[in-house]
Amino acid sequence: EPEFGGVLAKMDLATADGMSVAWLMRMLGRAGQQRVNGPDLMIRCCERAAREGQSIFLFGNTDKTLDMLALRLRERLPGLRIAGRLAPPFRAFSAEEDLRVVADINASGANIVFVSLGCPKQERWIVEHTKQIRAVMIGVGAAFEFHSGARARAPTWMQRSGLEWLYRMICEPGRLTGRYFSTNLSFIVGAAAQLRRERIAENSLLRR
């Protein structure tokens, strides 16, 4: 999706969220590239924030999930400062609602805003509000549900083997089967084409 690619290109930081992306990067010369996914990135940032006295804001999901998430984060990281949390409606904001959200986040004084609206909504929201929110914003996908305990995460061996998508699809077949079939197939086709172009370019240079 070229439009969404443009959104990602505007990010200050884009990580290899999927194991397949990390594998492809290694094939393209990024030796040792690791997977850096939303849930792991979020907890690492929270650990550092707790050590350095930085505050966080939780934006996304539901009030129930946010309550459980805040409780578990405080249990795990007693020194973590949670400046605020907000569960937005599952629809587009009105102009007035959007202004209120921005004002509430800025008024909290948070240093980091974790955005859990799902892909691609969270990435678009972050880019649209980069000049309005006075904090670092990080899109973390399903991290709120995993860290709150609202949803179980795949076993570590499945994460490392690139099979977390399969675990999630088994847990939510109705929502994810069609999505994963189309996106995984598209990725495989695109990755194969990119690797072929790279090999052709390498061979062309060698002939010179």
Side-chain angles (χ1 to χ4, degrees):
E1 297 182 21
E3 181 272 334
F4 184 55
V7 170
L8 292 181
K10 294 177 182 177
M11 294 284 188
D12 293 319
L13 175 69
T15 69
D17 181 71
M19 198 67 236
S20 55
V21 177
W23 286 335
L24 179 60
M25 291 178 70
R26 293 176 197 171
M27 294 178 194
L28 293 171
R30 308 295 190 197
Q33 175 64 50
Q34 299 297 306
R35 180 187 182 201
V36 184
N37 61 78
D40 291 344
L41 179 60
M42 175 180 170
I43 204 66
R44 292 291 184 87
C45 288
C46 285
E47 289 170 351
R48 184 160 180 174
R51 290 197 305 270
E52 299 183 359
Q54 303 291 307
S55 61
I56 68 167
F57 194 101
L58 306 170
F59 179 61
N61 216 284
T62 66
D63 287 321
K64 181 179 179 180
T65 297
L66 290 179
D67 289 343
M68 292 190 297
L69 176 61
L71 178 63
R72 290 204 170 194
L73 286 176
R74 289 191 175 106
E75 289 176 347
R76 180 169 179 174
L77 302 166
L80 181 64
R81 293 166 49 205
I82 301 176
R85 56 186 188 263
L86 177 63
F90 289 90
R91 56 170 172 74
F93 292 153
S94 67
E96 292 77 12
E97 288 173 328
D98 194 66
L99 288 173
R100 193 177 310 121
V101 167
V102 171
D104 287 346
I105 293 175
N106 286 336
S108 75
N111 304 108
I112 304 171
V113 179
F114 293 112
V115 184
S116 180
L117 300 176
C119 177
K121 184 177 179 180
Q122 64 188 20
E123 287 78 13
R124 291 193 173 106
W125 193 88
I126 288 171
V127 167
E128 290 169 1
H129 294 81
T130 296
K131 295 183 179 180
Q132 301 173 48
I133 302 294
R134 296 191 296 271
V136 173
M137 291 182 283
I138 305 176
V140 293
F144 287 12
E145 294 185 328
F146 291 143
H147 291 312
S148 68
R151 188 193 303 182
R153 194 174 180 190
T156 303
W157 72 266
M158 293 190 79
Q159 297 177 37
R160 292 174 178 171
S161 302
L163 295 174
E164 187 166 13
W165 66 272
L166 179 61
Y167 179 89
R168 293 182 66 178
M169 187 178 72
I170 292 172
C171 293
E172 300 180 81
R175 186 173 76 89
L176 297 177
T177 300
R179 167 183 162 185
Y180 280 156
F181 178 79
S182 61
T183 56
N184 288 5
L185 182 60
S186 296
F187 178 84
I188 291 170
V189 171
Q194 184 172 356
L195 287 169
R196 183 173 181 274
R197 289 195 301 270
E198 292 289 332
R199 298 295 179 265
I200 291 173
E202 289 175 5
N203 290 335
S204 176
L205 287 173
L206 289 173
R207 292 194 196 99
R208 295 178 186 176

